[in-house]
Amino acid sequence: MSDLNRNAKAIILRLAPWLREAAQDLVLFGTILFCLVFLISFPSHELSRMSFNEKAPESIPSSVPSGRLFVIEGLPDSYELRLNNRRLTPLYENVNFLGAVGISQRNFVTLTGFYRTRNRAKANWFQRFLFVQEVSGFSKKIEVSPKLEIRKASNLRLPSSVWNKLENAEEKRKKFERKIMRDVLNNFTHLKEFNCWYPPLQSKTTSVFGKARILPNGRHYFHSGLDLRARNNTPIRSMGDGVVVLADKMIVSGGTIVIDHGGGLFSRYFHMNDIEVEEGTHILRGQQIGLSGSTGRVNGPHLHWEVIWKGLAVDPLEAINEWKKICG
Ligand SMILES: [Zn+2]
């Protein structure tokens, strides 16, 4: 054997333990990588088989008017309901559900119900190993009728001083306030209180919910609340039990109070002269929260009162009536 060959053999022998370790590390690394890829690329929902062929329960309405809160009663074994991707608020052990149709120009909304049962008998060994879920349920189109009509819009008469003040207000400030309000209304808490609701003030309605209006700049919108006649500094009471989540002076809504009633439900009180509650305070139904006024975008003193479910404004008086099914 030549010297060269002997030297090569010696080098290989010296490198052998190191090569073996490297190979072991490579196998371990490869296994971990394979497991990670496997876990990431096979989430359980991918393996769930979804079908919405079941018949919708009789208690699901076939038609709901625009801007209406509604309760679906007595759904057996239901797990989850969604209305255009908004999860309905479960009441009483998933038997009754609360939802709403907002002020919309849509003809239909889609309600989907999921009944989740683990169906392992039908699964093959691989699916059984991965705990396949069979998700089945129903999907039903609910007609939005009657719809609100934007064509019949009437001009919102505003004193030019009010309009000019609003138009000249900093756009940055208005944008900031809209963001704050969005954040407040998107923070859903659990529904804890089932006491009945009362209007914040016993007074005449001066502008109904859903009335189509035109602003001086030509923009159309639907009145998202109810206006109640109120002289300046009339005591205003909370519609129900809840927590104050916003109490501040804002550009468009003036003195503003937002109360969270849980389950995605909020009430809003606008144009207040005086705010007598602080954010974070627990409020009881009928408790005085402030004094009405004419602050913000108004043509005179009144209370603008709103009820909102998961970002959708609903008719406050109808909401009180519908809530009676629950508060009884
Ligand atoms: Zn109003």
Side-chain angles (χ1 to χ4, degrees), residues 55 87 91 109 135 141 145 149 152 209 219 269 292:
K55 196 174 170 286
R87 193 175 169 226
L91 312 161
V109 286
V135 180
K141 275 191 165 182
S145 175
E149 291 284 350
K152 295 174 190 162
F209 171 84
R219 196 173 73 82
Y269 311 82
S292 72

Side-chain angles (χ1 to χ4, degrees), residues 166 169-184 246 248-254 256 268:
L166 285 170
E170 236 185 301
E171 198 49 49
K172 232 165 96 183
R173 175 79 200 164
K174 283 196 258 185
K175 219 171 154 183
F176 175 67
E177 290 185 356
R178 279 197 295 270
K179 192 199 172 299
I180 287 183
M181 186 59 86
R182 244 195 336 268
D183 289 349
V184 161
L246 198 147
D248 209 351
K249 289 193 178 98
M250 300 180 104
I251 291 168
V252 177
S253 52
T256 303
R268 302 205 286 183

Side-chain angles (χ1 to χ4, degrees), residues 27-168:
V27 167
L28 186 69
F29 177 73
T31 311
I32 292 170
L33 195 73
F34 176 78
C35 288
L36 278 175
V37 169
F38 186 82
L39 284 172
I40 293 164
S41 58
F42 286 99
S44 59
H45 70 264
E46 289 281 327
L47 288 158
S48 304
R49 282 175 300 190
M50 305 185 88
S51 57
F52 296 98
N53 311 326
E54 286 178 26
K55 196 174 170 286
E58 296 287 312
S59 52
I60 307 249
S62 54
S63 155
V64 175
S66 284
R68 196 65 66 87
L69 190 74
F70 62 88
V71 175
I72 300 171
E73 292 173 289
L75 285 190
D77 306 313
S78 209
Y79 180 79
E80 187 174 324
L81 285 183
R82 280 176 179 272
L83 188 74
N84 284 7
N85 281 329
R86 277 183 176 83
R87 193 175 169 226
L88 267 66
T89 306
L91 312 161
Y92 303 140
E93 319 268 322
N94 277 5
V95 168
N96 294 352
F97 288 85
L98 185 78
V101 171
I103 306 169
S104 102
Q105 287 290 82
R106 272 188 286 231
N107 290 320
F108 290 96
V109 286
T110 307
L111 186 83
T112 43
F114 306 77
Y115 292 80
R116 289 192 184 200
T117 45
R118 227 168 232 182
N119 196 338
R120 298 189 65 189
K122 281 187 197 166
N124 64 34
W125 69 268
F126 182 67
Q127 290 169 329
R128 231 174 280 181
F129 169 69
L130 288 163
F131 302 106
V132 161
Q133 282 195 117
E134 179 143 308
V135 180
S136 62
F138 61 87
S139 175
K140 183 173 174 174
K141 275 191 165 182
I142 297 176
E143 193 188 356
V144 179
S145 175
K147 284 196 302 178
L148 295 172
E149 291 284 350
I150 201 83
R151 282 181 291 119
K152 295 174 190 162
S154 57
N155 290 308
L156 181 68
R157 289 186 304 273
L158 282 173
S160 55
S161 58
V162 171
W163 181 249
N164 290 338
K165 203 175 134 199
L166 285 170
E167 281 297 272
N168 292 331

Side-chain angles (χ1 to χ4, degrees), residues 207 213 221 223-227 270-271 302-306:
S207 182
R213 289 169 169 180
Y221 75 102
H223 189 215
S224 54
L226 188 77
D227 289 350
F270 289 175
H271 315 308
H302 71 276
L303 174 73
H304 172 98
W305 165 43
E306 282 187 15

Side-chain angles (χ1 to χ4, degrees), residues 71 89-98 189-198 239-242 260-263 265 282-285 320 322-328:
V71 175
T89 306
L91 312 161
Y92 303 140
E93 319 268 322
N94 277 5
V95 168
N96 294 352
F97 288 85
L98 185 78
T189 58
H190 279 288
L191 187 63
K192 296 173 289 283
E193 319 286 358
F194 287 91
N195 288 337
C196 290
W197 295 334
Y198 292 159
M239 174 187 95
D241 297 353
D260 176 12
H261 302 285
L265 287 161
H282 198 277
I283 296 289
L284 296 174
R285 179 198 59 203
I320 284 186
E322 192 64 16
W323 186 251
K324 279 186 186 141
K325 286 184 184 172
I326 305 157
C327 71

